[in-house]
Each structure stands twice: as structure tokens, then as C-alpha cells.
Amino acid sequence: MRAAVLALALALGASASPLHAQFLWRPDAEWRTIETEHFVVHYPREFEEWTRAMAERLEGVRAAVGGEVGSVPRERVAVLVTDPMNESNGSAWPFMEAPAIIVWPTPPDPRSGIGNARSWGEILAVHEFAHVAHLTRPTRNPREAFLMRFSPLGFGPVLRKSPRWVIEGYATYVEGRLTGTGRPHGVWRPAVLRQWALEGRLPTYGQLSGWEEFRGGSFAYLGGSAFLEWLAARRGDSTIVHLWRRMSARRNRSFDAAFAGVYGDVPRSLYGRFTAELTGQALEIERELKKAGLVEGTLVQRLAWSTGDPAISPDGQRIAVVLRGRETPPRVVVWNTADEPDDSARIRARERARRRDPQDVPDVQFYPRPRRAVATLRAENGYGYDVPRWMPDGQQLLVTRAVPLSDGALRYDLFEWNTKTKHVRRITRGAGIRAADPYPDGRSAAALRCARGSCDLVRVSLADGAVTVLAAGSPLRAFYRPRVAPDGRTVVAAVSDSGQWRLASVNEAGLHFLDARDGVNRFDPEFAPDGRLLYVSEAGGVPNVAVRSLAADSARQLTRVTGVAIAPSVGGGRDVYFLSLHAQGLDVRRIPLDGARLLPVAIGPGLAPAAQRPVVAADTFPRSTLGTPRTYGVGPREYRFLAGYAIGADGKEGTAALASTDKVGRLTWIAQGSLGSEWRPRGGAVAMAWRGFRPTIELEGLALSRDASRQRPAGFTSTLDDLDLRGVDLATSLDVSWTGGYLRGELGGGAQQIRPRIGDRSMRGLGFANANANFVQRGEKRLLSERLQLHGAAGRAPAGGSGGWMRG
């Protein structure tokens, strides 16, 4: 979740680019509007259940956030619900005169940090409205307030002066303060800070707002919120608000000056002390865990960036995993599980080097040699495949991939990849399938379907892609990572349940939770061949791999790590493969399934999550009664006035324009007027675009006069150049996207009447058709694009001209 601070042109971007507008907002959807006292919420009808669940708590969120932040926006806040990428996200647009929040309703997973919440809508509303309340605090400086009147939308002083870590860190701080959940109360923030501290890779103050390392962008949220908590613990909670009051004061101060006046030194210096204490706490926790006995498993492959979940083949001989990089698209690779042998070429090279320089010391092999892929599934035009799961035959893999819809939005679909023939078969279309695990018969798979703001547990036919709901999700309940039992009778998945992720089985008898509501998150289920259930438990404050029987909770912990152990997988063998977090990415490790029995170790309070609060229903904030939704129509109108004046050798000209748009860009129009002298025109034009359906309709009319003969020096032009012009244009356009590019088609025409001051009136007309096709081929290290444009036009020239004409 991020505060998007963009230029005014981008704020009106929905009216500037039809394709961009359809991708983000889908103005042709069946939009509806529901209002509260301080919010206007716009949403496509398909998200009505999720939207109402969020909207009825917005007034409660506003009251709580206002009390914490010390200010609320003066204007009503517009909230837009949209789902362009089938992902969990949100953004705040903290304009002083038109604040807005954009929310993506697809719920997060338990590993994301933001998945640690009673409901996605609740924590999303708190975080994004905290941005708006924080960043729209008005200035008390008279000069700034005067200049602000001339800004069409306006940015407040806190927004203009704050670094990114302050903007994101404070919203995350408020998220934890008001909900008792979120990143400040989960295990993921302390795990990242602890592991980076132990490896000496915490960001510098200059890097805190973001840098290009693994998870570098997330430290504005994680490190920023932890730093603010550290400052509040030293000087008191109220000092955070004192900082915002000093930044917006009558006396103009920079962020560093406002900060130093509250905390006694500039932020760079105090951040150094904060990281020193944080590292000391991390080392103390490491000593505690080492004393109990670290069990980190055997390193299988040292990897960088966000490695995908490993999948072990049924015979235990092969492992499939998704490899990602900072600048390369994801790819699925298949390795042999056996250790990589030392090849003869490498042996000969070492021997030659030894003979040339017997006193040289060869490299120590600290990590396993890079494994050679026996099969690779590369990204399709930059859209990588993900979440591989082996079919019972041990040859084919189920994978998912984001696929563009015709309007540019993304939805995940299910595919089948044959590792022997390299053939990829698409199974579903636009279904929102996020993960799939095959049944033993290989005819169907248990999967997630994320749509309309909920993630359902479903069964997908692998023959025709037909989807059957096994257990429906809701705005307050989502499923994650389903796994089919070896007997095919039961599916186990992680389920968000009022602030806790729990394991649940689904069969003919319905849904049954396997663990208690004790506040400990458990997720990432995986069946061993003998029917035992592997999973990840956050007991003790560190995510570790554990195992239990399906029938009874006889759990024992398999790993004991300082960071994170997640994504267990086991095939026909007796080893459990999992992912282990380090400061540059996620490694693949393995550990025996029948290893020593471990007990959770409760780590010290320094970098442990905050004390777990009792699990309560997801009604933390008071609910308000909502009115009846209404159709969006042309939407609430927003108006912008622009004026200008120009002077030159060809004359003088004053211009004025009034533009109007709505939140989703369904109807936009602009009226322009000009009062010019000499060669400069006098007159006006009106243009509009309607995107309430596809294709888009655009209409423009104009009327102008020109007295060119009055240009100085006298006689420079003749009265033959004086004329009046009237005209109208009409055009329609349609954009269609697919994985390899997009196509834009346009069709239109226009007519104009020319009225010269000397001579007869005449008409001229124009009709045109355009097709613009853009093709893209994205590889791992290359990008090729081709653009094909076809243009045809026909018209009638004025009398005395060349008559009719055509061109292409």
C-alpha cells in the first residue's frame, strides 16, 4: 500500500488515456455509488458485498484515525474499488481539495504481513485513510496558504516535506495502533528486521525510503514504522503528532528541523542509534535460539530474490521451483533432488590452476554448486508462471499465470506444463485461479479462485476448466494454499478467521477447523505421503515448519530458525524441502521428515511481535447504516479552470478553458475559448469523450474567426485570409489487449464550413479509419516490439480546390 503522489496531469489521467483508464478503472463497468457522511464510495457492482462490508466501517475508521493523527481532511473522501491486477493493494491520493483512496479488494495471503488482520477491508481502510488524514493537514503559514489557493488540487506541507519512510512508516504505525494487527503486530516485520540486522545489511538512513536490494522498497513500511515506535517509546506517543504540527506551523520548517526540535537531533543521527539497538536485540535473540539449538536444515541451493514455493515430484526425484530476479521475469525450473556432481571440466580446470601456481589457495566451496535445470518454463512475454504442483504422473506440472483481459486488467488462470514435451495447455480463461493441487486421479484440482474481493476454495476440472465451489470465501474469510489428502477425500487449506490464519479441512461433511482460536497463525499446509500434515506455525514469534497428524493435534516443530522457514514440500522421499529467508532472498533447504522433536522457543521482546491480543470478531470499528446504492451514471463532476495569455508578432490572445471529469473517467469534457487579435483566432471549441461503454465515443465542435489582414505591418496579409470556420468531428475507438500486445482501432469523420469574408462559402469533409497494433516479445534479457499502423482517409476539399481525395 503506497501513497501515490503524482502530478495533476496524472490525477486526471483517466480522461487522458482510454487504455490506461480501462486498465485501472474500467469506466465501462456497471458502476454504483454509496455514500456515508464523509465518504463517497464508487465500485463496480460485482464488488458490492465486499464494498458494503468496508463502507459501513469507514465512519468509525475516520473517527479513530482522526483521534490518532490529530486531523482529518476538510473535504469528503472519494473511495474507488477496482481490481486491475487481481492483487492486494491500495493507494491514497492526498490532494487538499479532492482527496481520494483507491482499494484493490483481492485479499492478501498470510505471508505478506498485511495478511495479519481481522479483515482486509478494515486494515486497508485504516492504512489508506491514515495517509489522507496525515498528509492533508493544512498549513498555518499565511504565504503558503495564499499560494495554495492557486493550485488546482494542492499538496499540504506534510506531504511536500516528508521522505517516503515517514509517509509509509506512519500509516503502518497507525495501522498497528488502531487495529492491534497488521505489520506492527505480526511476525514478518520483526523477522525481516532481525535477519537483516544479523547479516549486517540493514539499510542506511539514505536507503530507508527505498533501495534496489531484495525487499528494499518494503523498509519504508517495516523500518519506518519500527523507527517511529522507537521514537515514541523514548519521547512519548504524543511527540509523533507534535512533529506534524511543527511541519505545518506558521513558521516554515524543513522536516529535519521539525524533527530535531522534537527529538533533539536530526533523524539520520537517531536512526543510527536505532539500528545499533536493533542489531543488539537481534544478536541476543540469536543467542537464545542457539542455546536452545538452531535447526536450519541442509542448504540445497543458495538463491536470490523471492524464490517461489518448491514442489517435490511424487517419486521424490525432482524439484520444481520458481526463480525470480530484480530485472528478469520469473521462470519455473526443474532440478534433480540428488546433489549436483562435480563435472570433469571443473575438475580439470582446478588441476591446471594448481599446476600453474602450487602455492595458490583455491576457492572454498561455501554453497552448493548451482544446479542444472532439466526443464525450464520461461515467462510468456514477461508474464511468468507460478505455483508449480506435480501431477500424479510425475511428468506434468500445474502452474498459474496472470493473463490480460481484453480491457487490460489481469486475471490468473490455470495451465498444464508437460516437462517432457515442453507443451503448455491452458485450462481456464479469466477465472482468477491463484493456486491448484491435483487430486490423486489427475482429473481435477483443488484451487483458489480470487474474484469479487473474495478467495473461494474450488475444484477445477482439468479437462474443460469447469469450476465448482467447495467452500465460499467472503469479505471476512479467505482461503489460501489448498492441498489434497493422499486418499483424495479431504482438502486442507489455510483460512483467515477473524484475525487468525487457521488450518481447516473441507470434505463432504463441510468445513472443520483443525486448530484452536489461540491467536497463533498456521498456514502453508502440505501432506506427507503417509497422510501427516506439514504446515508453518508462528508459535513463539518465528515462522517454523511443523508436522502433525490430520486426525489429532499432536504437533511437533521441525525447524528452529532465526528468520523464516516457510513453504514445506515433500514427495515420495523422507526429506522436507522448504524456503529459508535471508537478506538477499529465499534459499531452498531440506530437513528429515522424522527429525528430532522440537518445542517452540519464545524469543525475547525486542524483535518479537507485539503481545498477541485476544482474537475478536472483525467488527473493531463501529458500523454505520448505509443507504441504498445508486447507479453511478455520469458520476460526480469535478471541474478545473485554466486561463492564459499570449503575445507575439502575429497578435495577442487570451484563452480560458473549463474541464470536467468524474472519478472513473466515464464522461470527460472541455470547453475552450479564445479572444485574439490579428492572425490569432477568436472563438471556442467544446470536446467530450464518453467511456460508459466500449467503444469510446468522442465528439468535438468548434467555431472561430480570424482577421489576418489586420496584422502589422499593414498589408502583410490580404483580406482573402480573413474567414470564419465552423466544424464538428465525431470519432469512436476501441482498445483490445492480449499477452503479446494490444490493438487500437479508430473510426470517425468530420465536416467544416468555411466562410471567407470575400468569396463564397464552402464545405469540406473528412472520414478516416485507423488501426494501431503493438506487438511485444519480452525475454529474460531482451525486449523486441513492433508497431503496425494502418491509416485510411477520404475527404472533399473546398470549392476551387482539388475536389474529392483519398489517401492510405
Side-chain angles (χ1 to χ4, degrees), residues 168-363:
E168 299 297 0
Y170 185 59
T172 305
Y173 171 86
V174 174
E175 158 195 320
R177 291 265 296 179
L178 297 185
T179 69
T181 61
R183 282 160 284 207
H185 293 270
V187 302
W188 292 90
R189 187 186 75 171
V192 170
L193 297 178
R194 180 170 61 248
Q195 194 64 33
W196 267 244
L198 291 175
E199 298 181 33
R201 298 185 67 90
L202 285 171
T204 65
Y205 181 77
Q207 296 170 329
L208 183 58
S209 290
W211 85 109
E212 293 186 351
E213 295 294 326
F214 174 61
R215 301 206 66 162
S218 68
F219 272 89
Y221 303 85
L222 308 181
S225 60
F227 185 31
L228 289 171
E229 290 173 10
W230 182 82
L231 293 168
R234 286 166 59 97
R235 298 286 295 169
D237 295 336
S238 60
T239 59
I240 304 292
V241 175
H242 292 170
L243 177 58
W244 320 140
R245 289 166 56 183
R246 285 174 58 84
M247 292 174 68
S248 57
R250 183 181 184 91
R251 178 181 175 183
N252 190 19
R253 298 185 181 95
S254 67
F255 170 71
D256 281 9
F259 185 100
V262 175
Y263 297 110
D265 206 341
V266 294
R268 184 181 300 274
S269 298
L270 289 181
Y271 177 77
R273 176 65 186 185
F274 162 72
T275 57
E277 291 186 12
L278 191 152
T279 302
Q281 294 167 358
L283 290 169
E284 179 60 31
I285 290 172
E286 184 183 47
R287 284 191 288 269
E288 292 180 23
L289 293 174
K290 283 185 175 180
K291 184 177 179 181
L294 288 176
V295 182
E296 299 174 310
T298 302
L299 182 62
V300 174
Q301 192 71 92
R302 181 72 169 182
L303 297 169
W305 225 253
S306 52
T307 308
D309 295 7
I312 309 302
S313 62
D315 60 6
Q317 299 299 308
R318 293 191 293 171
I319 175 174
V321 66
V322 178
L323 301 183
R324 297 184 177 92
R326 181 167 64 89
E327 297 179 344
T328 57
R331 66 188 187 277
V332 182
V333 299
V334 177
W335 300 322
N336 291 320
T337 53
D339 291 336
E340 195 74 25
D342 200 356
D343 61 64
S344 56
R346 188 181 292 110
I347 295 174
R348 289 195 299 270
R350 284 202 302 265
E351 183 59 26
R352 286 195 300 269
R354 187 190 65 79
R355 288 196 299 267
R356 291 183 183 130
D357 187 358
Q359 295 189 46
D360 190 16
V361 179
D363 294 339

Side-chain angles (χ1 to χ4, degrees), residues 398-452:
L398 294 180
V399 290
T400 60
R401 176 170 68 82
V403 181
L405 302 179
S406 62
D407 62 3
L410 299 181
R411 292 294 180 269
Y412 284 84
D413 273 318
L414 182 63
F415 297 78
E416 184 181 68
W417 174 42
N418 190 312
T419 60
K420 185 175 181 180
T421 67
K422 314 305 181 187
H423 176 68
V424 177
R425 179 175 69 91
R426 186 172 180 176
I427 297 173
T428 63
R429 295 188 178 274
I433 301 298
R434 301 297 297 273
D437 190 50
Y439 280 80
D441 61 9
R443 297 178 181 176
S444 59
L448 295 181
R449 181 183 64 182
C450 293
R452 302 179 301 279

Side-chain angles (χ1 to χ4, degrees), residues 25 65 143 230-231 238 424 443 479 516 528 575 593 671 706 710 792:
W25 323 121
V65 170
R143 184 173 65 87
W230 182 82
L231 293 168
S238 60
V424 177
R443 297 178 181 176
F479 293 87
D575 282 339
L593 175 59
R706 187 180 66 196
R710 297 185 180 182

Side-chain angles (χ1 to χ4, degrees), residues 737-761:
S737 297
W738 66 89
T739 302
Y742 73 89
L743 172 68
R744 179 182 177 86
E746 296 178 288
L747 183 67
Q752 293 181 349
Q753 183 185 63
I754 303 174
R755 301 177 180 179
R757 304 290 167 77
I758 299 177
D760 298 328
R761 297 181 181 182

